[in-house]
Amino acid sequence: MPRTRIPKEDILKAAAQVIRSRGAGALSVRNVASQLGCSTQPLYSQFGSQEQLRQELAAYIRDTYLRFQYTSYKEFGQKFLTFARQESELFCFLYLRRREPGQTLLDDANQEHTVELLARNLEMTPRQAADMHRQMQYHCYGLGVMIATGYRTMSDEEISDELGEFYAIMLRHYKQAASEDELQHWLTRSRNLIL
């Protein structure tokens, strides 16, 4: 009898659905096979181990849900926090897990584009832009955890206001704006980033 072959993407979709409906703790080869209505053999032939499935699932979720086009810097944060709200279990799977030493804290599929956008619009070096973006990532990560775990609920408008306020704080710091007029100059100059 020929072995059943299930496409890798179908397995990853089923694994994501297991997490969505039952939480990250329910992710197992057996539960994914049950979701697909098959034995565990096709999954092991595609992935080899449950750990490999977890690793490839994390990459799949990042590419499917967190690699997006955006035209403003605020939109980057809004999409990340919307993911935390709408796909809380997937967010927790990606971000609320113990990392190995040396692993990246945040997986940002849009890092290069974002740093380039900030550097160009704010007349910063790429290093300054990367530092500023890292601070925004930390802020968004903290908010995302609170949203995904139910500690805090935020409407789209509240998210927009929060990101705008934090952007102004960062802009004051990174552009060393000594006065409100100077801050307003940079806010006006970069309004395309925060619309």
Side-chain angles (χ1 to χ4, degrees):
M1 188 167 171
R3 291 183 161 189
T4 305
R5 182 148 177 88
I6 299 175
K8 189 176 268 194
E9 186 166 348
D10 289 352
I11 296 170
L12 293 170
K13 283 180 184 175
Q17 187 54 41
V18 166
I19 291 172
R20 264 195 200 105
S21 61
R22 297 168 56 191
L27 182 63
S28 69
V29 171
R30 185 177 306 279
N31 286 342
V32 175
S34 176
Q35 179 75 26
L36 289 165
C38 68
S39 72
T40 59
Q41 183 279 324
L43 280 72
Y44 281 116
S45 74
Q46 284 282 15
F47 293 98
S49 70
Q50 184 162 315
E51 184 54 34
Q52 185 181 351
L53 172 63
R54 291 179 77 79
Q55 289 172 5
E56 291 195 42
L57 179 59
Y60 170 80
I61 292 169
R62 278 192 305 275
D63 287 343
T64 303
Y65 296 95
L66 294 169
R67 185 178 303 277
F68 39 71
Q69 296 295 316
Y70 54 92
T71 57
S72 77
Y73 190 51
K74 184 189 269 188
E75 190 178 2
F76 152 79
Q78 288 170 316
K79 287 189 176 190
F80 181 81
L81 294 175
T82 298
F83 170 70
R85 186 178 61 210
Q86 292 177 347
E87 297 289 354
S88 60
E89 293 296 341
L90 296 179
F91 182 95
C92 290
F93 170 76
L94 274 183
Y95 295 111
L96 298 182
R97 68 182 195 278
R98 191 168 297 285
R99 305 288 176 128
E100 295 298 320
Q103 268 191 320
T104 305
L105 172 64
L106 294 171
D107 309 304
D108 184 357
N110 306 291
Q111 176 87 19
E112 190 176 317
H113 170 72
T114 303
V115 168
E116 181 184 309
L117 180 75
L118 289 173
R120 183 177 62 246
N121 282 274
L122 296 174
E123 298 177 8
M124 294 178 159
T125 66
R127 182 179 177 99
Q128 289 172 312
D131 287 346
M132 182 173 165
H133 181 54
R134 187 174 57 252
Q135 293 302 316
M136 181 60 93
Q137 286 177 310
Y138 293 161
H139 188 68
C140 286
Y141 177 81
L143 286 174
V145 168
M146 288 190 286
I147 291 167
T149 59
Y151 180 79
R152 182 167 181 202
T153 58
M154 293 181 80
S155 67
D156 289 341
E157 184 178 322
E158 289 170 319
I159 288 171
S160 179
D161 290 347
E162 178 73 26
L163 293 173
E165 289 172 23
F166 192 69
Y167 176 79
I169 291 167
M170 289 193 312
L171 195 58
R172 180 186 297 278
H173 173 76
Y174 283 95
K175 293 309 289 181
Q176 298 179 346
S179 68
E180 282 302 312
D181 288 343
E182 195 174 346
L183 176 61
Q184 283 306 315
H185 164 77
W186 284 107
L187 284 170
T188 300
R189 177 130 187 224
S190 64
R191 77 176 166 269
N192 64 312
L193 296 177
I194 57 171
L195 293 176

